[in-house]
Amino acid sequence: MQKRLTPYPLIALLCILILAACASIGSPDGGPRDFTPPKVVKCQPANMSVNNQDKKLTLTFDEFIVLENASEKVVVSPPQKEMPEIRTSGKRIHITLNDSLKKNTTYTVDFSDAIVDNNEGNPYRYGNRYDGSLRYIVGSRKP
């Protein structure tokens, strides 16, 4: 009497070989490289606005951004007695002017080349040319 081979061990071996062939170790390519710099989509209050009395300013971008060396590169004019608080949150830059606003004064926040996108480090561009600077300008309220 001959012993008949059961197909279960053969099927189990075949399944193990198929599953082992499917697992390939590697990292995903992540797609094409991003060369597009961040763009401002909203300013609160609006850039170049007048009669402003709000000491909190917000700039919103189209992608996640990072401020590099904000304490060295970002300049607020006229100079403030108390340093303004500048922080990022995702796609936004929040600026809080801790000093009191002078009447009939134009305030300028010059970011130099501090704004870059989060993933590739592309610097902010103004229009089609790179000048490495974003200038946010608001005027204080008239008496």
Side-chain angles (χ1 to χ4, degrees):
M1 185 168 179
Q2 269 187 344
K3 275 192 167 182
R4 188 169 172 215
L5 284 174
T6 60
Y8 299 116
L10 187 57
I11 291 173
L13 180 63
L14 185 61
C15 286
I16 290 172
L17 289 174
I18 288 173
L19 290 175
C22 289
S24 59
I25 298 173
S27 58
D29 62 2
R33 186 177 167 141
D34 174 23
F35 291 103
T36 308
K39 295 180 183 121
V40 177
V41 293
K42 183 179 178 185
C43 296
Q44 184 63 35
N47 195 13
M48 307 298 267
S49 64
V50 293
N51 297 329
N52 178 52
Q53 63 182 11
D54 195 1
K55 292 167 59 169
K56 293 186 179 186
L57 317 170
T58 304
L59 287 88
T60 306
F61 293 83
D62 65 341
E63 60 183 303
F64 291 95
I65 53 104
V66 175
L67 273 177
E68 293 183 339
N69 299 325
S71 60
E72 297 173 11
K73 294 182 178 183
V74 180
V75 177
V76 177
S77 178
Q80 307 286 292
K81 290 180 185 175
E82 293 183 45
M83 289 296 296
E85 179 184 327
I86 302 170
R87 61 183 178 83
T88 60
S89 173
K91 296 180 180 184
R92 292 186 173 97
I93 297 176
H94 302 280
I95 306 157
T96 304
L97 300 173
N98 295 321
D99 204 0
S100 59
L101 298 179
K102 297 176 185 173
K103 293 182 179 182
N104 296 326
T105 304
T106 301
Y107 290 88
T108 303
V109 182
D110 189 342
F111 288 94
S112 182
D113 59 350
I115 302 171
V116 297
D117 73 7
N118 187 47
N119 293 329
E120 299 290 341
N122 298 318
Y124 175 84
R125 288 184 182 202
Y126 179 74
N128 291 330
R129 61 182 171 76
Y130 174 73
D131 73 353
S133 185
L134 168 65
R135 288 178 188 90
Y136 180 53
I137 301 170
V138 291
S140 64
R141 174 175 267 179
K142 296 178 182 179

